[in-house]
Amino acid sequence: MLSKKSKWVVVLVMALVMVLVVAGCNSGKGDAGKTQESAESKQTQETKTITLNGAGASFPYPLYSKWIAEYHKVAPSVTIDYQSIGSGGGIKGITEQTVDFAGSDAPMTDEQLAKAPGQIFHIPTVMGAVVITYNLEGVKTGLKLTPGGHQ
């Protein structure tokens, strides 16, 4: 369980990530006032390519795909590939250094971090809610759920 201070840190980091993503997605808009680059400079930029490979959780995949597509519009020399293979696959990939970044539904455990060949930074990027819905004939007063399962 997180302390109040830890919860605020998580919220602030998530807000920072969202600001950076929005800024990255919008940076190609509003070209008025920009000076035109020389043909030589453009050619040099086009020949430099960067490739980032990632893998992991399937839950954030639709959003990551949208971010990647939008980012590619403003930075066509950057190729980002994210494979939706599950959190365990992402943790394995980052630990074995077969990917540059990974997605996971939960932070790595202390044991997993100890096995990592370098320092791992956890950056929350996506949040989702789990909601139980029901439509049971004869249940009129509401469904009561208790923590801990069957009692």
Side-chain angles (χ1 to χ4, degrees), residues 15 45-46 50 119 135:
Q45 286 181 349
E46 289 173 352
I50 297 171
Q119 189 171 11
N135 183 10

Side-chain angles (χ1 to χ4, degrees), residues 39-123:
E40 183 179 310
S41 176
K42 278 188 177 181
Q43 184 178 9
T44 302
Q45 286 181 349
E46 289 173 352
T47 58
K48 292 181 184 178
T49 59
I50 297 171
T51 302
L52 295 173
N53 292 307
S58 58
F59 176 78
Y61 178 73
L63 185 58
Y64 288 177
S65 294
K66 178 68 174 169
W67 286 349
I68 290 167
E70 291 299 316
Y71 189 75
H72 188 70
K73 291 177 185 177
V74 298
S77 63
V78 177
T79 301
I80 304 172
D81 180 41
Y82 182 82
Q83 296 296 311
S84 173
I85 62 171
S87 294
I91 291 170
K92 181 179 179 187
I94 200 72
T95 302
E96 294 177 354
Q97 296 182 313
T98 58
V99 295
D100 301 306
F101 67 98
S104 177
D105 292 332
M108 293 170 65
T109 64
D110 289 341
E111 183 179 320
Q112 292 167 327
L113 287 169
K115 292 178 184 177
Q119 189 171 11
I120 303 289
F121 294 99
H122 290 116
I123 302 170

Side-chain angles (χ1 to χ4, degrees), residues 1-13:
M1 193 159 228
L2 294 174
S3 69
K4 280 187 177 183
K5 184 177 179 182
S6 296
K7 288 178 184 177
W8 277 109
V9 169
V10 169
V11 169
L12 290 173
V13 169

